[in-house]
């Protein structure tokens, strides 16, 4: 038996703004948006086979503590890309700062945080 991750759901301040930078950086598109649980708003952004559900509650969400020391904390989301240099340029253009660059077996990676403080890992695997 095997399983494929279809989506993850994260709370953000502004789903539309988050989906915009994700379209610019990752080439993703808006799949759906509308009213959601607890009188909030959700937007699904991604590709044909997987997506992120971006949820905004009706009031401004609170800042989290350190995710690595919080039970159930979201430590980072990772995406694979085919051109890490172009993706890094797009991350800079979106106003985020790439950090923690590494060449490792089997590829390259860097991290960045978005305006909501969510950490993303960008990975390009060697062919």
């Amino acid at each position: 038996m095997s399983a494929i991750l279809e989506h993850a759901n994260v709370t953000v301040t502004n789903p539309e703004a988050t989906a915009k930078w994700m379209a610019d950086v990752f080439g993703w598109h808006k799949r759906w948006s509308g009213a959601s649980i607890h009188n909030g708003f959700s937007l699904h952004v991604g590709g044909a086979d997987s997506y992120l559900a971006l949820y905004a509650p009706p009031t401004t969400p609170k800042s989290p503590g350190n995710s690595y020391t919080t039970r159930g904390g979201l430590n980072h989301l990772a995406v694979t890309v085919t051109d890490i240099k172009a993706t890094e340029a797009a991350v800079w253009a979106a106003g985020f700062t790439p950090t923690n660059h590494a060449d490792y077996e089997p590829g390259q990676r860097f991290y960045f945080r978005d305006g909501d403080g969510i950490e993303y890992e960008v990975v390009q695997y060697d062919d």
Side-chain angles (χ1 to χ4, degrees):
M1 182 162 117
S2 68
I4 296 171
L5 181 65
E6 184 214 23
H7 77 272
N9 188 319
V10 296
T11 299
V12 298
T13 305
N14 183 332
E16 293 284 354
T18 300
K20 166 81 170 86
W21 76 251
M22 288 180 165
D24 293 344
V25 172
F26 301 137
W28 293 349
H29 66 274
K30 183 166 135 180
R31 294 170 41 136
W32 174 86
S33 66
S36 193
I37 193 168
H38 305 299
N39 298 314
F41 175 80
S42 287
L43 187 151
H44 297 176
V45 61
D49 298 326
S50 64
Y51 65 94
L52 282 178
L54 307 174
Y55 172 78
T59 58
T60 303
K62 298 175 185 148
S63 296
N66 182 336
S67 64
Y68 286 91
T69 60
T70 301
R71 182 181 300 161
L74 172 67
N75 298 320
H76 65 261
L77 297 168
V79 298
T80 58
V81 299
T82 57
D83 187 339
I84 199 164
K85 292 187 184 312
T87 304
E88 183 172 3
V91 167
W92 278 110
F96 309 126
T97 304
T99 63
N100 198 17
H101 295 75
D103 291 339
Y104 70 109
E105 185 65 36
Q108 302 170 12
R109 71 170 183 233
F110 70 85
Y111 294 81
F112 70 95
R113 289 190 181 273
D114 73 359
D116 285 307
I118 298 170
E119 185 175 59
Y120 295 84
E121 178 182 8
V122 178
V123 179
Q124 179 178 334
Y125 291 112
D126 297 333
D127 291 331

